[in-house]
Amino acid sequence: MFRSTTGADLGAVLSFSSPGPEPWVDALHFLAGQDAGTYRDEWTWLAFLDGRPLARAIWWGPASSAYPTRLDCLLVDRSLPHPEVWSGALVRSAIRAFAEAGSPLLPEAAHVPRYALASTRRL
């Protein structure tokens, strides 16, 4: 299942981390973005399997915008086979929802290096 998050999903959103020094959205950055209005629940997406969050996509947009403009972070649990399939399905689901909500432009998918597709779970 792929869906945008709610406030109740904050723990799941923050449970992802990156195994390397590559740029990614950590908990402090995410919470600061939420406070600033540049990261929002409806722009943050999770993929679930059997109720467990396995992939996360965080979209960014200007605080004054009704829609996100770029993908800032995409992480997939490294225990999953074929992380590219999960990440692609998660991104497509989010973009489809943004378009159905009236986004005049599809969010620009920021370059996400192949190594950013793996995640080390903290929980």
Side-chain angles (χ1 to χ4, degrees):
M1 176 172 88
F2 306 99
R3 66 168 175 79
S4 62
T5 63
T6 67
D9 295 313
L10 184 60
V13 170
L14 300 181
S15 72
F16 286 84
S17 64
S18 178
E22 301 82 29
W24 64 286
V25 176
D26 65 13
L28 291 176
H29 190 119
F30 181 77
L31 294 171
Q34 277 198 317
D35 288 345
T38 57
Y39 293 141
R40 302 182 195 166
D41 286 339
E42 63 270 21
W43 298 351
T44 304
W45 281 68
L46 292 171
F48 292 90
L49 180 62
D50 297 327
R52 184 174 149 222
L54 297 173
R56 177 188 85 171
I58 298 176
W59 300 81
W60 179 92
S64 61
S65 180
Y67 306 101
T69 58
R70 74 172 188 245
L71 176 60
D72 260 12
C73 185
L74 177 62
L75 295 172
V76 177
D77 189 304
R78 66 177 48 229
S79 70
L80 289 174
H82 309 292
E84 68 280 2
V85 173
W86 283 85
S87 61
L90 182 59
V91 168
R92 282 190 306 276
S93 295
I95 288 175
R96 185 178 319 114
F98 298 146
E100 289 172 359
S103 178
L105 301 171
L106 294 180
E108 175 186 320
H111 173 68
V112 179
R114 186 164 185 76
Y115 52 71
L117 296 177
S119 170
T120 301
R121 296 298 302 248
R122 289 187 286 205
L123 295 181

